[in-house]
Amino acid sequence: MSKTYHIFGLSILSEISLPAPEAGGRRRSSPPDVVIEYGEAPRQLSRPQRKTAWYEAAAGEFLLSAESIARYYVQGGSRIVITAEPGVAKEKILIYLMGSAMGALLHQRNVLVLHAGAVTKKNYSVIFLGPSGAGKSTLAAAFHQRGLAFLADDVCAISFDDGAPAVIPGFPQLKLWEDALAKLGKDKGGLKRVVWIKNLEKYFMPVEHEHDGPVRLKSVFSLEAADTAHIEVHALRGGAKLEPLVANTYRRGFLDGLGGKKEYFRQCARVAAQSEVYRVLRPRDKFLLDELADMLEAEF
């Protein structure tokens, strides 16, 4: 039986249970903004503008093929059809649904999507950009433990409803590697394991949202591991503010097939113009989580 959720500012009717609270009556819309259902996804697109080993993209269409897990067909920013492999665990289906498939759907809706984590302090939000392994999720979890409200992990959507950039609350879940849980003093017992690579395991950690709507974006921190002995925080100016936003757009290659690159660059420029942007260098061989959190919170 399908359930209705309110995620990324959208009313989502989903046949697969999502790791989020069901929407109350006032949050349900008829028809919903997005429908997620099981069905027969195509094996290929008829006229892809971009084609790789794991996805194809064209205007209004996106097809993701996760080997031994599922195919995901994303259409018009309003529909995701999932063809799952027999017997595959729901958590494995969710990892790609909540990530690349949802990211493609948001791109189709011309929403700026960044590869970032986000939290709020007072009435504004801050985001942490960076490639996989930079520590975005760990840092967002650390600030959540310090009492800051959680907004997004990995897939971070930005709106411009009143002209100013604001973070839209995403899935109320963090995806954390086992060593990150250890740094945070969290027990992995009772958490759903969603990824495992050799000796590394990643888990879903539920969190609670305290905001229903977008929260004005104040600061952007671009995280980088570097050959440095100490943490360095540098405020960026001018065109340098745009670079980390462009570099950390969520699955930027999708836009080569989906289109919308001009609007995406305009949106990045608006974020750069209206937000503080910092480059954060941390030692490559050690995370220094508490020290990093202290320094960034001082910049808030």
Side-chain angles (χ1 to χ4, degrees), residues 27 43 48 54 64 106 127 143 154 156 163 167 177 195 241 257:
R27 284 295 187 184
R43 294 191 175 274
W54 67 288
L64 170 68
L106 291 168
I127 63 177
F143 279 121
D154 196 42
C156 182
V167 177
W177 292 109
V195 178
K241 297 173 68 176

Side-chain angles (χ1 to χ4, degrees), residues 192-228:
K192 292 284 188 180
R193 185 178 67 168
V194 291
V195 178
W196 49 97
I197 304 173
K198 294 183 179 179
N199 295 324
L200 295 174
E201 297 180 334
K202 182 172 274 192
Y203 295 82
F204 276 143
M205 188 177 83
V207 291
E208 292 184 4
H209 278 150
E210 297 179 18
H211 296 270
D212 286 338
V215 181
R216 172 73 166 88
L217 176 60
K218 181 177 186 287
S219 303
V220 177
F221 296 93
S222 178
L223 307 178
E224 300 177 36
D227 296 322
T228 178

